[in-house]
């Protein structure tokens, strides 16, 4: 690595929450491109269960909103560093898959999630010929600096391979003619997507993800206390991120300005209830971690988890109803 950061530079990154690395990279690209990054969050209401961790993260390949909202496409590529260099020199940016342990700048104390099997992404912004290095952003660890081709290849490529795996952020060919959709259409599109992602899910997403988490929580009685403690600790971090994101997503909907005052008030009350549910669930999990094996605490946590799912589902049904009414007007 040639530099650990850019001194005295104004931060130009958008950071969501822990484990939201791909989304943070995409929002950083939008921010640096002069677009409104808040729109990206509108259809981000989901929950996933990956590597036995409950998270709000959507896999980067599942994002379908960028063409509709911004006229931008995520194009998956696996190439050598020369083609990535050509891409960023042509004005594109790339969301690059990396192993944090192989990034010199990544803090060792933040490696636990990567060790659980989570993918990590950084944003390749440009290439500096004088430094012979890529400028990259890692919003999750507040890194804005340069890394060499060798370091990027080491962190991205599979063993004995020479490919860097990334998603290129490509604008439409007629980008100059792109016009953002009407805000009512945006609301209807996003609220429907959120609802459908939540209820029409597979084992690792939506309501099915919460069911899988509940199953493993019940099954934790069969694990060693140490295994359960580590698992609960990771999920507590993840739930804190979910709670933070729920509020951000709601704020993005409010900022569209298409709901009336009564709807905003009702939605704010619903969100407040959902945040309290998640916070209480996290409190119960932390308490259970200190008293592993106490079945009354486990039962309370499982009951709260069901309440979280019911409250979120009711909220998404309500939002989808508003969206449907907006486009019928």
């Amino acid at each position: 690595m040639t530099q650990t950061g850019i001194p005295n530079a104004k931060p130009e990154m958008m950071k969501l929450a822990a484990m939201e690395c791909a989304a943070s990279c995409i929002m950083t690209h939008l921010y640096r491109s002069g677009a409104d990054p808040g729109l990206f969050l509108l259809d981000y209401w989901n929950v996933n269960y990956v590597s036995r961790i409950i998270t709000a993260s959507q896999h980067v390949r599942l994002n379908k909103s960028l063409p509709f909202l911004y006229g931008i496409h995520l194009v998956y590529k696996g190439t050598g560093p020369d083609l990535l260099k050509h891409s960023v020199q042509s004005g594109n940016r790339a969301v690059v898959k990396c192993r944090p342990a192989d990034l010199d700048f990544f803090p060792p104390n933040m490696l636990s999630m990567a060790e659980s099997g989570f993918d990590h992404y950084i944003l390749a912004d440009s290439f500096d010929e004088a430094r012979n290095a890529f400028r990259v952003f890692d919003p999750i660890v507040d890194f804005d600096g340069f890394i060499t081709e060798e370091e990027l290849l080491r962190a991205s490529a599979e063993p004995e391979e020479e490919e860097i795996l990334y998603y290129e952020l490509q604008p439409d060919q007629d980008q100059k003619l792109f016009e953002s959709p009407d805000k009512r259409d945006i609301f209807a599109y996003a609220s429907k997507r959120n609802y459908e992602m939540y209820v029409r899910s597979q084992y690792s997403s939506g309501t099915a993800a919460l069911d899988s988490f509940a199953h493993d929580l019940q099954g934790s009685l069969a694990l060693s206390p140490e295994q359960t403690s580590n698992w609960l600790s990771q999920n507590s971090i993840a739930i804190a991120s979910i709670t933070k994101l729920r509020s951000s997503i709601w704020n993005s909907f409010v900022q569209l300005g298409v709901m009336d005052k009564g709807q905003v008030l009702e939605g704010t009350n619903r969100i407040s209830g959902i945040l309290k549910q998640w916070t209480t669930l996290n409190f119960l999990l932390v308490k259970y971690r200190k008293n592993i094996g106490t079945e009354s605490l486990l039962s309370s946590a499982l009951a709260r988890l069901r309440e979280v799912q019911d409250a979120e589902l009711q909220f998404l049904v309500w939002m989808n109803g508003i969206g449907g009414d907006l486009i019928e007007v």
Side-chain angles (χ1 to χ4, degrees):
M1 185 169 62
T2 59
Q3 185 175 329
T4 57
I6 301 177
N8 302 318
K10 179 181 178 181
E12 293 194 34
M13 292 178 280
M14 300 292 294
K15 179 179 179 180
L16 288 181
M19 295 175 292
E20 304 301 326
C21 51
S24 296
C25 287
I26 292 171
M27 291 184 70
T28 294
H29 164 74
L30 296 171
Y31 174 75
R32 289 178 59 78
S33 301
D36 176 7
L39 296 179
F40 176 80
L41 286 179
L42 291 171
D43 74 336
Y44 205 72
W45 190 293
N46 197 17
V47 63
N48 282 275
Y49 194 55
V50 181
S51 299
R52 300 184 72 242
I53 307 295
I54 197 77
T55 172
S57 298
Q58 289 186 11
H59 193 287
V60 63
R61 67 178 171 80
L62 295 179
N63 184 279
K64 306 297 183 184
S65 65
L66 288 173
F68 174 72
L69 295 174
Y70 300 102
I72 296 172
H73 299 271
L74 276 172
V75 181
Y76 179 75
K77 294 180 178 288
T79 65
D82 288 342
L83 290 177
L84 175 59
K85 184 194 306 183
H86 175 73
S87 175
V88 297
Q89 287 177 325
S90 299
N92 298 317
R93 295 191 181 96
V95 181
V96 185
K97 181 181 177 181
C98 290
R99 291 179 297 278
D102 291 324
L103 293 168
D104 292 345
F105 64 79
F106 203 89
N109 65 328
M110 296 183 65
L111 290 173
S112 61
M113 289 301 179
E115 292 169 354
S116 298
F118 276 89
D119 292 334
H120 185 68
Y121 293 89
I122 61 177
L123 182 68
D125 176 82
S126 56
F127 188 84
D128 189 303
E129 293 285 358
R131 299 173 186 270
N132 193 32
F134 290 94
R135 183 182 183 184
V136 303
F137 296 95
D138 190 336
I140 297 301
V141 298
D142 300 315
F143 178 82
D144 173 359
F146 295 88
I147 64 174
T148 63
E149 292 182 38
E150 292 75 15
E151 182 182 350
L152 191 58
L153 190 60
R154 183 180 75 235
S156 178
E158 296 300 319
E160 301 182 1
E161 295 184 6
E162 296 294 320
E163 282 192 336
I164 294 176
L165 306 178
Y166 64 93
Y167 292 84
E168 189 174 79
L169 289 153
Q170 294 182 353
D172 281 338
Q173 292 183 349
D174 56 349
Q175 179 68 23
K176 293 181 179 180
L177 300 178
F178 175 79
E179 293 185 7
S180 180
D182 180 83
K183 290 183 177 181
R184 291 174 178 267
D185 293 332
I186 291 175
F187 188 108
Y189 166 85
S191 60
K192 182 178 181 180
R193 279 262 301 167
N194 287 333
Y195 171 73
E196 291 183 344
M197 287 285 288
Y198 207 80
V199 299
R200 298 178 183 176
S201 55
Q202 298 178 351
Y203 70 95
S204 65
S205 178
T207 56
L210 294 173
D211 291 340
S212 295
F213 179 55
H215 178 269
D216 283 353
L217 184 57
Q218 181 69 61
S220 67
L221 290 170
L223 302 176
S224 70
E226 182 180 4
Q227 287 175 311
T228 301
S229 178
N230 291 337
W231 178 68
L232 290 172
S233 177
Q234 291 177 324
N235 277 286
S236 289
I237 295 172
I239 289 173
S241 296
I242 292 173
T243 306
K244 178 181 178 181
L245 273 170
R246 294 302 189 243
S247 180
S248 297
I249 294 168
W250 170 245
N251 288 337
S252 290
F253 273 103
V254 172
Q255 288 168 11
L256 284 176
V258 299
M259 289 183 286
D260 61 38
K261 291 182 179 180
Q263 290 168 333
V264 172
L265 179 59
E266 181 175 352
T268 299
N269 289 335
R270 286 175 179 263
I271 287 293
S272 178
I274 288 171
L275 299 185
K276 288 178 181 177
Q277 297 277 30
W278 279 110
T279 301
T280 301
L281 172 62
N282 215 2
F283 170 77
L284 290 170
L285 293 178
V286 170
K287 195 172 180 180
Y288 181 64
R289 184 186 174 206
K290 297 177 180 178
N291 300 274
I292 292 172
T294 304
E295 293 195 24
S296 60
L297 285 175
L298 180 59
S299 296
S300 295
L302 288 168
R304 184 64 63 172
L305 183 57
R306 288 191 293 271
E307 292 171 1
V308 166
Q309 180 171 318
D310 290 343
E312 292 217 323
L313 188 55
Q314 291 172 18
F315 172 76
L316 294 176
V317 169
W318 177 74
M319 288 287 283
N320 191 35
I322 294 176
D325 291 341
L326 285 172
I327 59 176
E328 290 177 2
V329 174

